[in-house]
Amino acid sequence: MAAVQAFTPLADIKPFKTHWKIQVKIVHSWTQYTQFTGETVEMVLADTAGTLIHATVKKPQVSKLQRFIVSGEWRIIEHFTLTKSTGKYRATKHGFKMSMMEKTVISRTPAVSDDIYVDLANFPDILNEAGLSENILIGTSS
């Protein structure tokens, strides 16, 4: 009988390999278009410890993976790359950003928790002495 590989917590994943296996909840997803990357599907994922990470599905993988990307659902994700999370508008505080690749597998799994996994900024952190902080992403609802 084959041994079952345990899930790696999001806090422990590092970019030195691509064969990670994580169990996450899709907290939020959206489609994004830029001239540099074209159309992508962006997600914020959370594990049971409440760690959040930003993930991207680039255009070549969208048709293969999009049916598994349902906000509020739990998924198992295997084989992905990690890059340093940089830039002015970061979706999470995690030091890395996930990118799905051709070998990425996303599979369904029963719900592990009903938690909503949000990480809200304190108002004083958003509005500092110099005015509005441009390093905190502020969402709006329509």
Side-chain angles (χ1 to χ4, degrees):
M1 179 186 258
V4 176
Q5 180 184 356
F7 302 115
T8 303
L10 290 177
D12 294 345
I13 58 176
K14 304 286 185 262
F16 61 83
K17 68 179 189 176
T18 60
H19 189 76
W20 297 104
K21 184 175 184 179
I22 59 173
Q23 185 176 38
V24 292
K25 182 176 186 177
I26 302 171
V27 176
H28 185 60
S29 67
W30 66 97
T31 301
Q32 181 171 295
Y33 178 84
T34 65
Q35 286 184 321
F36 179 69
T37 60
E39 187 173 312
T40 60
V41 175
E42 305 293 320
M43 299 176 282
V44 173
L45 308 174
D47 64 8
T48 56
T51 303
L52 299 170
I53 191 167
H54 182 184
T56 299
V57 180
K58 295 180 181 169
K59 188 172 179 96
Q61 285 75 40
V62 168
S63 61
K64 173 186 165 193
L65 301 175
Q66 190 165 22
R67 66 190 168 129
F68 295 103
I69 301 170
V70 180
S71 292
E73 297 288 325
W74 283 86
R75 298 291 186 251
I76 295 170
I77 303 176
E78 300 177 73
H79 307 288
F80 50 86
T81 61
L82 294 165
T83 55
K84 187 84 173 139
S85 182
T86 60
K88 197 173 195 179
Y89 304 110
R90 290 175 52 187
T92 69
K93 295 177 185 174
H94 201 288
F96 299 106
K97 179 179 173 182
M98 288 176 52
S99 292
M100 307 306 160
M101 47 194 232
E102 191 171 324
K103 294 191 304 184
T104 297
V105 176
I106 300 177
S107 53
R108 292 177 172 87
T109 186
V112 177
S113 170
D114 290 333
D115 288 350
I116 58 171
Y117 302 108
V118 294
D119 185 15
L120 303 174
N122 293 321
F123 188 73
D125 293 339
I126 297 170
L127 188 62
N128 61 29
E129 297 158 3
L132 194 63
S133 172
E134 294 182 356
N135 296 318
I136 298 177
L137 183 62
I138 302 171
T140 61
S141 56
S142 338

